[in-house]
């Protein structure tokens, strides 16, 4: 497996179970697939956690942390108090290209993405407000682009040693093989 640095976690704020289930699941799956170390969700939605756990079991990365927290603010405060850096991904922040070099040298990083309008508290109490472009866009895309830039494309070569399934790349068609036991 490719060794990726810095260590990155993703915090999903404001998940609304009846409305955001699919997008929140995709935020977690993109984080896992592209090398983040974990996914934290403010609130609880067992269907999201079950989907991610099933992917971890089949496709690998069983050490990918998946947890819920009741209070996102407290989690961010504790994260920063323990030496981590908090990065709010928002279209209103400083451009990613101007900050990515600085961010690569810091660890661990906590990416914060919202499901609904993010409270002003986060804008004022994080280390960085970083924009993936200054247009409306998806939090799934924000996480993917951030991870790609921070890991400089190395995350695209990840092979998880504990995977039960693996895709064999080919020009046309689909080929998935069972590996391990």
């Amino acid at each position: 497996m490719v060794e990726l640095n810095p260590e990155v976690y993703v915090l999903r704020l404001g998940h609304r179970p009846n409305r955001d289930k699919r997008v929140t699941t995709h935020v977690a799956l993109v984080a896992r697939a592209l090398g983040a170390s974990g996914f934290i969700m403010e609130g609880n939605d067992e269907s999201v956690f079950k989907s991610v756990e099933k992917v971890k079991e089949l496709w690998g990365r069983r050490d990918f942390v998946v947890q819920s927290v009741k209070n996102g603010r407290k989690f961010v405060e504790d994260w920063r108090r323990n030496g981590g850096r908090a990065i709010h991904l928002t279209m209103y922040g400083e451009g990613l290209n101007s900050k990515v070099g600085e961010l690569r040298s810091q660890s661990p990083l906590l990416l914060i993405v919202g499901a609904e309008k993010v409270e002003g508290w986060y804008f004022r109490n994080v280390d960085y407000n970083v924009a993936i472009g200054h247009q409306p866009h998806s939090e799934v895309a924000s996480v993917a682009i951030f991870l790609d830039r921070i890991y400089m494309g190395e995350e695209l070569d990840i092979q998880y040693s504990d995977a039960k399934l693996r895709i064999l790349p080919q020009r046309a068609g689909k080929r998935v093989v069972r590996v391990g036991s």
Side-chain angles (χ1 to χ4, degrees), residues 79 116 124 146 167 173:
W79 182 272
E116 54 188 346
R124 295 184 305 275
F146 183 93
I167 292 173

Side-chain angles (χ1 to χ4, degrees), residues 27-40:
V27 169
L29 294 178
V30 161
R32 182 205 142 275
L34 298 183
S37 296
F39 171 78
I40 300 98

Side-chain angles (χ1 to χ4, degrees), residues 6-160:
E7 188 175 14
V8 178
Y9 291 80
V10 176
L11 171 63
R12 171 74 159 161
L13 299 174
H15 172 75
R16 300 159 292 186
N18 293 333
R19 182 175 175 176
D20 299 326
K21 199 174 310 281
R22 187 168 174 88
V23 172
T24 297
T25 300
H26 286 182
V27 169
L29 294 178
V30 161
R32 182 205 142 275
L34 298 183
S37 296
F39 171 78
I40 300 98
M41 182 171 70
E42 183 182 49
N44 194 3
D45 187 333
E46 285 302 315
S47 68
V48 171
F49 296 136
K50 284 179 183 175
S51 293
V52 176
E53 290 298 328
K54 183 177 178 181
V55 169
K56 287 170 44 177
E57 180 66 28
L58 291 174
W59 295 94
R61 190 73 196 272
R62 289 186 203 109
D63 64 342
F64 181 75
V65 173
V66 180
Q67 72 181 69
S68 68
V69 295
K70 290 183 181 179
N71 186 320
R73 283 183 180 193
K74 181 175 180 346
F75 187 85
V76 171
E77 288 171 343
D78 291 346
W79 182 272
R80 294 184 71 219
R81 189 175 343 198
N82 290 318
R85 297 285 186 216
I87 303 159
H88 175 216
L89 295 182
T90 170
M91 66 185 186
Y92 304 106
E94 298 175 273
L96 176 61
N97 288 340
S98 69
K99 302 310 285 180
V100 71
E102 180 180 340
L103 294 170
R104 277 191 196 112
S105 66
Q106 302 180 41
S107 188
L109 302 178
L110 178 66
L111 301 183
I112 302 166
V113 294
E116 54 188 346
K117 184 176 179 182
V118 174
E119 298 174 55
W121 182 91
Y122 290 95
F123 287 87
R124 295 184 305 275
N125 289 281
V126 296
D127 297 291
Y128 300 92
N129 286 291
V130 173
I132 310 295
H134 298 285
Q135 296 289 323
H137 57 279
S138 158
E139 54 273 32
V140 179
S142 292
V143 169
I145 291 169
F146 183 93
L147 291 172
D148 184 65
R149 293 293 171 89
I150 204 84
Y151 294 140
M152 298 181 286
E154 290 182 31
E155 78 287 355
L156 300 177
D157 297 324
I158 293 174
Q159 292 287 324
Y160 295 124

